[in-house]
Amino acid sequence: MLLFTLLITLPACLWSLKVSPLIEKISDHKDFKKLLRTRNNVLILYSKSAAVAEHQLKLLSDVAEVVKGRSTVSWVDCGDTESRKLCKKLKVDPSSKPSGVELLHYKDGTFHTEYNRPETFKSILAFLRDPEGAPLWEEDREAKDVVHLDTEKEFRRLLKKEERPLLVMFYAPWCGVCKRMMPAFQQAATDLKGTYVLAGMNIHSPEYDRIKEEYSIKGYPTICYFEKGKYQFQFENYGATAKDIADWMKNPQPHQPEAPEVPWAEQDSSVHHLTDEDFDQFVKEHRSVLVMFHAPWCGHCKKMKPEYEQAAEVLHSSEDSPGVLAAVDATASKALAEKFHISGFPTLKYFENGEEKYTLPHLRTQKKIMDWMLNPEAPPPPEPTWEEKQTSVIHLIGEDFRESLKKKRHSLVMFYAPWCPHCKNAIPDFTSAADIFKEDRKIAYAAVDCTKEQNHDLCRQEGVEGYPTLNYYNYGKFMEKYRGERSESGFTGFMRSLREKDHGRVGKRKEEL
């Protein structure tokens, strides 16, 4: 009678187990190989029986709905007669796990890693979106006392109900300063537990634009202090220790801005400061004028300023001075900046008898300035830009980006800014790697200058947050971010691994035929 009851209830139990059609059930080795051959980001749930997998399957059904088209979720029931052989062949034994299930991830046709992060919708989703990315902040056990907010609704609810003083860190997962601050922030949350509340919220996505606008969030982290749900001011000590944060919470005070810097034009100096109104007249009245076009915020300008002033002082005190030094704030004198095509700072231009004669990028020290003014001559020709050089790198712009990449099986694209030091260091190696594969028509090493106006939208769409950003595309479709070494061997090794997989797939197909 007991056996009969089991036979009746077991099918009913399995019938009640609703599996999403987005979860691909695999039962034999041929289907398994096909799955890995055709998909590059696969999470497989192995279970010792269907019954023990019920919770995970419900959870993974929700995940599969969100990641469809980008990732694949599959299930192998090792308790099923047909699937048992597959599990044995793959040497997967979920019965050895206390839960009776095992989650394994496969990337680019091969086993990648065992999923050992929390089995929550948010954690699994974040993992599949970036299998090699850092865990979520809330997955850190040391951050258990930080209130982790997932939605704007949760944030508004917390403001409404929380009576205690509240400090919220709005952050982005890629932000280096945020990562450095998190240990101190979470330790402070533990130290202040019960009296104060510290919360964290990743608001990088566009869905949080309303919060960003409301609290003037222009960068990460932005840390806002609230009392009884009302915003007060920001905490701006981004190098704070846990004690610093705790002490501040006990006596919160708004940040005291530093005294504004006196504009260069108002400082006592031998440099002549010119504007749109008096520039033309000044260069006509002085036979030899060296002009520095600068911006108040420019770090290179500030570094050069003392050298420039010292040279101006020497020229001013000389009885037989070869000329004068002047400066133009190009952010204020926009007509001059446009007239002389000023696109970077500092830019030095030499004027003789009222006419522009040379642009001098190599003068940065007092000695070089003085030597050149005593013997003015044409500067060496400027070095051609990366785009101007004849290389095997394809330089793309927004309108032809996707169409160009669709013609290539494998494309590694560097999104860069010409002024970026890390980009400058990587460019020679990237160019060398492109030269190595120049005969392979299926491969492209491409570059996009994100400082060009026609590329602004493209770089934003492709998730460029900093320079350089390197993305891998398959026939124009984004596949993953390149996280390897920025060296010739790193760039070539990445591409060779892709080509080896191509050849392996061809070989397998021939064997199957």
Side-chain angles (χ1 to χ4, degrees), residues 2 53 164 385 476:
L2 179 60
R164 293 168 294 181
T385 64

Side-chain angles (χ1 to χ4, degrees), residues 129-359:
R129 283 175 171 166
D130 186 4
E132 295 179 347
L136 299 174
W137 190 9
E138 61 227 60
E139 294 176 23
D140 186 343
R141 293 180 180 178
E142 300 298 320
K144 65 184 184 304
D145 295 316
V146 174
V147 177
H148 298 281
L149 303 168
D150 294 334
T151 65
E152 182 174 348
K153 187 176 180 180
E154 287 183 11
F155 170 65
R156 303 290 179 193
R157 190 186 300 128
L158 180 64
L159 291 185
K160 189 174 181 180
K161 74 171 186 178
E162 188 55 66
E163 293 289 325
R164 293 168 294 181
L166 169 67
L167 193 65
V168 181
M169 180 194 289
F170 297 106
Y171 68 95
W174 46 262
C175 161
V177 178
C178 306
K179 292 175 183 177
R180 289 195 294 273
M181 274 204 77
M182 283 173 177
F185 195 85
Q186 63 198 32
Q187 182 59 51
T190 299
D191 295 342
L192 299 171
K193 186 178 179 181
T195 308
Y196 304 92
V197 176
L198 274 66
M201 188 174 185
N202 171 12
I203 60 164
H204 171 55
S205 302
E207 64 190 282
Y208 302 112
D209 284 350
R210 190 164 68 167
I211 292 178
K212 296 174 195 172
E213 183 177 351
E214 185 176 347
Y215 298 108
S216 301
I217 298 172
K218 307 296 184 185
Y220 304 108
T222 295
I223 305 173
C224 296
Y225 176 70
F226 300 84
E227 287 183 357
K228 296 185 178 180
K230 301 294 182 184
Y231 170 69
Q232 302 298 314
F233 34 76
Q234 293 184 8
F235 175 82
E236 298 191 24
N237 181 1
Y238 302 115
T241 63
K243 184 177 184 303
D244 293 333
I245 297 171
D247 290 345
W248 187 88
M249 286 295 287
K250 293 168 185 175
N251 183 30
Q253 298 291 329
H255 176 70
Q256 297 298 323
E258 297 178 2
E261 186 178 346
V262 178
W264 190 12
E266 296 177 15
Q267 297 175 21
D268 187 18
S269 168
S270 296
V271 175
H272 299 270
H273 292 274
L274 309 177
T275 65
D276 288 334
E277 289 73 28
D278 60 11
F279 182 89
D280 290 342
Q281 187 62 34
F282 184 88
V283 295
K284 285 178 182 177
E285 293 175 353
H286 295 78
R287 184 182 61 81
S288 175
V289 186
L290 183 64
V291 182
M292 174 180 171
F293 292 86
H294 67 97
W297 44 261
C298 163
H300 294 295
C301 304
K302 291 178 181 178
K303 184 177 180 180
M304 180 181 168
K305 177 185 159 188
E307 301 281 339
Y308 198 72
E309 287 186 330
Q310 290 167 17
E313 182 64 33
V314 173
L315 290 171
H316 177 71
S317 59
S318 174
E319 292 184 2
D320 188 21
S321 176
V324 296
L325 267 56
V328 172
D329 179 352
T331 64
S333 300
K334 294 182 179 178
L336 287 173
E338 185 176 347
K339 178 180 178 180
F340 295 111
H341 308 289
I342 306 302
S343 58
F345 305 109
T347 294
L348 270 73
K349 288 184 176 289
Y350 178 68
F351 294 81
E352 192 172 83
N353 299 321
E355 299 293 330
E356 179 188 354
K357 194 166 184 181
Y358 303 127
T359 298

Side-chain angles (χ1 to χ4, degrees), residues 408 437-444 499:
K408 303 292 182 180
F437 286 93
K438 64 183 178 181
E439 301 299 330
D440 193 325
R441 294 183 178 181
K442 293 185 178 182
I443 287 176
R499 296 303 276 138

Side-chain angles (χ1 to χ4, degrees), residues 344-413:
F345 305 109
T347 294
L348 270 73
K349 288 184 176 289
Y350 178 68
F351 294 81
E352 192 172 83
N353 299 321
E355 299 293 330
E356 179 188 354
K357 194 166 184 181
Y358 303 127
T359 298
L360 305 161
H362 63 297
L363 303 184
R364 288 293 184 269
T365 65
Q366 177 193 353
K367 184 178 186 309
K368 287 184 177 180
I369 293 169
M370 288 298 305
D371 289 346
W372 192 88
M373 288 294 286
L374 291 168
N375 184 29
E377 56 185 18
E383 185 179 342
T385 64
W386 189 18
E387 198 166 349
E388 292 170 342
K389 295 177 181 177
Q390 292 295 317
T391 72
S392 301
V393 175
I394 303 169
H395 292 272
L396 303 174
I397 58 174
E399 59 193 33
D400 64 5
F401 177 80
R402 199 72 56 188
E403 288 303 315
S404 297
L405 296 189
K406 280 181 180 178
K407 301 171 185 175
K408 303 292 182 180
R409 185 182 186 95
H410 303 298
S411 301
L412 188 59
V413 182

Side-chain angles (χ1 to χ4, degrees), residues 20 22-23 43 56-69 71-73 115 119-129:
S20 168
L22 293 173
I23 295 181
L43 185 66
Q56 283 83 1
L57 286 170
K58 286 180 179 178
L59 175 62
L60 291 174
S61 295
D62 294 334
V63 172
E65 183 67 36
V66 179
V67 301
K68 62 182 177 182
S71 307
T72 302
V73 180
Y115 179 84
E119 289 185 10
T120 64
F121 172 80
K122 190 177 177 186
S123 291
I124 296 174
L125 183 61
F127 173 80
L128 284 176
R129 283 175 171 166

Side-chain angles (χ1 to χ4, degrees), residues 420-477:
C420 158
H422 298 299
C423 303
K424 291 177 182 178
N425 290 336
I427 283 172
D429 291 296
F430 193 81
T431 303
S432 298
D435 288 337
I436 290 170
F437 286 93
K438 64 183 178 181
E439 301 299 330
D440 193 325
R441 294 183 178 181
K442 293 185 178 182
I443 287 176
Y445 284 80
V448 175
D449 180 353
C450 289
T451 64
K452 289 186 175 181
E453 187 174 352
Q454 62 265 48
N455 290 333
H456 289 175
D457 289 342
L458 170 65
C459 293
R460 195 160 40 243
Q461 290 165 9
E462 298 306 307
V464 178
E465 306 288 354
Y467 305 118
T469 290
L470 291 117
N471 288 352
Y472 163 58
Y473 297 83
N474 180 258
Y475 289 120
K477 181 183 178 183

